[in-house]
């Protein structure tokens, strides 16, 4: 199935660029539509709040093979904007949630307890995970006394592991390389608003290969969850849901039809924070945790020597060799593991991490101030990892094509002109076989595959782009056609792939594949 939005427009088949609305959304009361367009966050002084770092979770017990954790999903209040209280939904009541630090080859079991007023499903993004623990969208964990018959039947259709009440255990074998992963909500139809309310956290896997490198560590290894949010004048989060209870009709008001873009940039849950640094190298595990916003990151001023960012890792872990970037584009759900060398700045310099895709307030992310001199024993070696064993495209037994297109089927977002059906299988790769997938979009969509990591083979018929290196699980389709190659396994079962613009995902830009 090969088509583009331009071709479909000529045929009269599209519902309009960027429209991803359920039928009837345009009939919402005018007052609500105006409300959505006029909401503006309270003014915040930039670069005044210190950068917070999410706490690292401690296991409740361990044995020879496994670390066991307990996490409660609950509503809390937090002071995100100085002087205001904001209601969040958080893992252990935190936004971001506590960081899980795991060891490659050592299992983690997390008992998730749901004390929220809605169902949830937890996905370990980038995890090579058995299907029953992958957070399939209809594998819902309900609050203890919730009547699951009160929600639409398609929310529990086609489940992989059924649904639970109160608690559920998720098992992560961690049979994969060291990498920066993250866990977040993945509930059918409501992933966007529930992640927006705070249900996201880091999950970092470590291994001996990475440990043997002299990369910046300790207080100089910092995770950065970058996202955007809009707040009401009283400091509460604003999200343009059709049903703010998140129990009825899913979807968003027309103002967010192509994704919801907040007017306040948060890093680790703080608005435009500041970090004091020494004149040494720092390692930043960057995650775009926004619902829809793409960032094009740059340092201002530019360093006196060398590149702004030295990329050492991608979604699936370390690169073979470092890559230098003056700018860094990062789409929703992508991770970039980078080094910034502050020895290229004089003491007292304020270095702003900026966003070339932003304007006004959203053109700034955070600020670093070089406040002191320190010795630096860290090193970026020319070889970071043994050769990455990518699948050979010549071994591919199947080539599949998927077009990501918003605004089809009465307003739904689609893949290959079909909206998501939890009971329909759209691809059935055989266990341990190699396939090439051609991913096409018009306009822009970050595409994410569960279970597998892949290598980008080409972009628009040419070589991969500058941000496509290494093992990927999410790739940005900016109106592009991209070929990727993956080996499907090591588990049989049903998984999803989807657009990680969460408003598009909730409006059905998702499909199933089943490893058979």
């Amino acid at each position: 199935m090969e088509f583009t939005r331009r071709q479909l427009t000529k045929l009269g088949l599209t519902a309009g660029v960027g429209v991803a609305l359920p039928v009837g959304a345009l009939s919402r009361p005018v007052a609500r539509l105006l409300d959505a367009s006029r909401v503006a966050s309270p003014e915040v002084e930039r670069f005044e709040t210190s950068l917070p770092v999410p706490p690292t979770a401690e296991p409740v017990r361990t044995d020879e093979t496994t670390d066991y954790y307990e996490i409660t999903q609950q509503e809390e209040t937090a002071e995100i904007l100085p002087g205001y209280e904001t209601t969040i939904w958080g893992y252990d009541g935190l936004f971001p949630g506590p960081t899980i630090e795991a060891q490659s080859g050592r299992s983690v079991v997390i008992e998730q307890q749901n004390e929220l007023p809605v169902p949830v499903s937890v996905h370990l993004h980038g995890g090579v995970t058995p299907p029953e623990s992958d957070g399939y969208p209809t594998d819902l964990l309900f609050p203890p006394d919730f009547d699951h018959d009160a929600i639409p039947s398609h929310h529990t259709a086609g489940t992989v592991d059924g649904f639970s009440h109160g608690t559920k255990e998720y098992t992560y074998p961690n049979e994969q390389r060291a990498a920066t992963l993250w866990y977040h909500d993945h509930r059918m139809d409501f992933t966007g608003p529930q992640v927006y309310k705070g249900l996201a956290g880091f999950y970092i896997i470590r291994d001996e290969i990475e440990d043997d490198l002299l990369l910046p560590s300790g207080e100089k290894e910092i995770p950065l969850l970058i996202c955007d949010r809009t707040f009401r004048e009283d400091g509460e989060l604003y999200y343009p849901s059709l049903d703010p209870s998140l129990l009825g009709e899913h979807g968003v008001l027309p103002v967010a039809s192509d994704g919801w873009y907040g007017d306040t940039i948060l890093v680790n849950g703080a608005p435009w924070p500041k970090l004091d640094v020494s004149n040494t190298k720092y390692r930043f595990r960057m995650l775009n945790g926004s619902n829809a916003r793409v960032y094009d990151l740059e340092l201002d001023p530019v360093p006196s020597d060398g590149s702004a960012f030295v990329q050492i890792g991608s979604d699936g872990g370390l690169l073979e060799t470092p890559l230098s970037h003056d700018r860094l584009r990062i789409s929703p759900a992508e991770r970039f593991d980078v080094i910034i060398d502050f020895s290229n700045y004089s003491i007292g310099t304020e270095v702003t991490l900026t966003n070339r895709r932003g304007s006004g307030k959203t053109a700034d992310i955070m600020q670093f101030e070089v406040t002191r001199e320190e010795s630096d024993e860290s090193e970026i070696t020319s070889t970071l990892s043994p050769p990455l064993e990518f699948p050979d495209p010549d071994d591919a037994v199947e080539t599949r094509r998927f077009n990501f297109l918003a605004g089809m089927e009465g307003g739904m977002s689609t893949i290959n002109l079909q909206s998501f059906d939890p009971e329909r299988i759209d691809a059935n790769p055989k266990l341990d076989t190699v396939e090439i997938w051609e991913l096409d979009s018009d306009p822009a969509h970050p595409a994410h595959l569960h279970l597998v990591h892949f290598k980008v083979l080409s972009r628009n018929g040419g070589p991969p782009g500058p941000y496509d290196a290494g093992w990927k699980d999410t790739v940005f389709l900016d109106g592009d056609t991209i070929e990727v190659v993956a080996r499907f396994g090591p588990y049989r079962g049903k998984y999803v792939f989807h657009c990680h613009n969460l408003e598009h995902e909730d409006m059905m830009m998702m499909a199933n594949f089943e490893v058979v």
Side-chain angles (χ1 to χ4, degrees), residues 220 277-280 345-347 370-376:
K220 297 179 182 179
V277 297
S278 61
N279 63 338
T280 58
Y345 296 95
S346 59
I347 302 299
V370 186
T371 60
R372 61 194 185 277
E373 292 187 12
E374 286 183 358
S375 61
D376 190 356

Side-chain angles (χ1 to χ4, degrees), residues 9-76:
T9 300
K10 291 178 181 179
L11 297 173
L13 293 177
T14 63
V17 174
V19 178
L21 299 169
V23 176
L26 294 176
S27 65
R28 296 292 155 196
V30 173
R32 284 196 62 202
L33 303 186
L34 291 175
D35 178 52
S37 65
R38 291 174 177 170
V39 173
S41 298
E43 288 298 319
V44 172
E45 191 72 28
R46 276 167 274 181
F47 317 135
E48 293 292 326
T49 302
S50 295
L51 174 75
V53 177
T56 300
E58 293 291 336
V60 294
R61 63 186 178 93
T62 65
D63 60 29
E64 292 182 358
T65 63
T66 306
D67 297 322
Y68 299 85
Y69 295 83
E70 295 176 357
I71 292 179
T72 301
Q73 300 182 42
Q74 60 196 55
E75 183 175 286
E76 289 289 350

Side-chain angles (χ1 to χ4, degrees), residues 91 121-125 182-187 191 195 199-201 333 448 450 498 500 502 505:
Y91 296 107
S121 181
V122 183
H123 171 54
L124 178 57
H125 186 120
W182 64 303
Y183 62 103
H184 62 79
D185 189 74
H186 211 271
R187 176 193 169 198
T191 296
V195 171
L199 293 175
H448 170 50
H450 287 218
H498 57 86
H500 223 285
L502 297 184
E505 176 185 339

